[in-house]
Amino acid sequence: MNTIIEPFRIKTVEPIRMTTVAERETILHKADYNLFSIASRDVLIDLLTDSGTGAMSTKQWAAIMQGDESYAGSPSFDRFESTIQNLFPFQHIIPTHQGRAAEAILFSILAGNGKVIPSNTHFDTTRGNIEATGAEAHDLVIEEGKDPQNLHPFKGNMDIAKLDSFLSEHGKNVPCVMLTVTNNAGGGQPVSLENIRATREMAKKYGLPFIIDACRFAENAWFIKLREKGQQTRSITEIVRDMFEGADGMTMSAKKDAFANIGGWLALNDDELAEKARTRLILTEGFPTYGGLAGRDLEAIAQGLEEIIDEDYLRYRVAVNQYIGDRLHKMGVPVVRPVGGHAVFIDARAFLPHIDPLQYPGQALSCEMYRLAGVRACEIGTVMFGRKPDGSEEPAAMDLVRLAIPRRTYTQSHADYMLERIEQIVGEKDKLRGMRIKWEPPAMRHFTAKFEVLT
Ligand SMILES: *Cc1c(COP(=O)(O)O)cnc(C)c1O
């Protein structure tokens, strides 16, 4: 079977404003070649992120109308709580406005000066929230996970031996062990069930809580079903329950694998920890039965969770990335392999070897994709990570361009159109030029820096 059809039909449409190459050249120039400065109405296919950009279903929109906006004791909270507990059997479910709010609450309790927290790879907001308390975040992903061409099936796995020595070295300064599924910062790479269990056992050995950053739990479960020995005949629900068995908590962004435009939660088993978290929640987010959300959001999330574990959806979801990744690979565009769950990453440094990393090959390629195709992708490389706190600059580990795929939003013809345009770039790639930053802020420069094309 060559074509995996979208397992949905379209009831509501959102028109895309068509633009020409000439118009986009002007727009790009006005935006100083920073794609974050471009208005979304000037973008044909927006692959900047898969976070909160998915399409909701008819049932989600219907659930929105059933949202009960009572301050306390809303039945929408009951539905939210019981749907979550059906998949993830935690005692306490604490709603937040996004994943990062769950992280901020958790680390305000667990982290602090002198503490160190290991994970396979901390996502940037997780790392930021840990560091904001004065603690340190450490990444202990397996070596295979750092090699863009290594075909290991579970490149998100924790290096268990490294975790063991890390925990024995840091002893009482470690408040918990984290694990991100799938490993977003590492390219959306999955973690095997065996590795999740081994990480949990290692946490138990040292008497530490084991907390899962679960943003893409359903994509991770699908990869387990596809790739892990003995898992092929099991349901996604069974696999998800196994993934979370014995875990002490989870942080979640409902903007990922819950099909919502906003939302998240923190789940915990420990009563005392949960009590502290709820006290903090009331200060920063809201009352425990709505957190940072409206009743209608709680409903949309609950319904989304019932839909995300659908195997027809997950098969299609992963097939889309696979399709784009395989086609790019065949036309000679180097991509991170195997392709992850939510995005395709182009290795821009390998694709444009004539552009020095300090002249931002990832930025050059993403600007060309916008100019020629109207596609907005995201540079993840030297622009994002290359500036050191002292103002000096170094090439990042890799110069990637991420095509993050919003859930249920674009069709195969959108993908085919984009691939045709990228093929055109392949033919002319030697003409692409590097870039120079003409202005940048002191931190997080990728959002606002101004660029010019080198001549
Ligand atoms: C998106 C994300 C978060 C943060 O969630 P927000 O809802 O954006 O605050 C945390 N961890 C991972 C792995 C994520 O992908």
Side-chain angles (χ1 to χ4, degrees), residues 11 54-64 259 300 303-304 307 408:
K11 179 172 269 178
M56 291 212 292
S57 66
T58 48
K59 283 192 177 168
Q60 280 181 294
W61 284 111
I64 288 237
F259 282 133
Q303 180 58 38
E307 295 173 14
R408 304 189 292 206

Side-chain angles (χ1 to χ4, degrees), residues 98-100 103 123 125 180 184 213 215-216 253 255-256:
Q98 281 194 219
R100 67 196 68 187
E103 293 166 350
F123 182 63
T125 60
T180 314
N184 182 356
D213 176 341
C215 294
R216 297 182 179 76
S253 169
K255 302 172 74 168
K256 321 292 174 45

Side-chain angles (χ1 to χ4, degrees), residues 148-149 332-336 344-357 359-367 369 378-382 398-402 429 432:
Q149 297 310 318
V333 178
V335 292
V336 175
V344 179
F345 291 75
I346 299 177
D347 184 346
R349 193 180 290 173
F351 183 57
L352 302 173
H354 63 289
I355 300 182
D356 187 272
Q359 295 176 356
Y360 318 122
Q363 191 68 18
L365 178 59
S366 45
C367 283
M369 284 180 61
C378 187
E379 192 262 9
I380 303 208
T382 303
M398 293 188 270
D399 277 292
L400 303 177
V401 169
R402 182 184 69 187
K429 75 188 182 77
L432 284 186

Side-chain angles (χ1 to χ4, degrees), residues 211-338:
I211 314 276
I212 302 181
D213 176 341
C215 294
R216 297 182 179 76
F217 74 92
E219 289 165 10
N220 200 94
W222 179 253
F223 281 120
I224 287 174
K225 183 174 166 106
L226 283 187
R227 297 180 185 169
E228 194 159 347
K229 199 163 159 269
Q231 300 298 319
Q232 285 63 43
T233 57
R234 306 186 66 220
S235 76
I236 294 299
T237 304
E238 282 173 312
I239 295 173
V240 170
R241 287 188 188 139
D242 270 4
M243 287 165 59
F244 288 79
E245 199 202 319
D248 300 286
M250 72 187 283
T251 55
M252 176 71 188
S253 169
K255 302 172 74 168
K256 321 292 174 45
D257 274 0
F259 282 133
N261 299 124
I262 198 73
W265 67 85
L266 170 64
L268 293 166
N269 276 335
D270 186 83
D271 296 341
E272 207 179 308
L273 259 183
E275 190 50 46
K276 286 186 189 157
R278 287 203 177 97
T279 305
R280 186 87 201 150
L281 183 83
I282 293 173
L283 278 178
T284 59
E285 294 278 296
F287 190 73
T289 59
Y290 70 86
L293 296 168
R296 54 178 167 270
D297 300 325
L298 298 170
E299 293 278 352
I301 293 168
Q303 180 58 38
L305 275 178
E306 287 178 15
E307 295 173 14
I308 202 93
I309 53 173
D310 176 55
E311 296 199 6
D312 291 332
Y313 161 72
L314 288 168
R315 181 177 299 109
Y316 142 82
R317 168 74 173 155
V318 167
V320 168
N321 297 335
Q322 192 70 52
Y323 173 76
I324 295 172
D326 286 352
R327 291 262 317 255
L328 288 173
H329 182 67
K330 279 192 197 118
M331 64 174 82
V333 178
V335 292
V336 175
R337 299 174 75 217

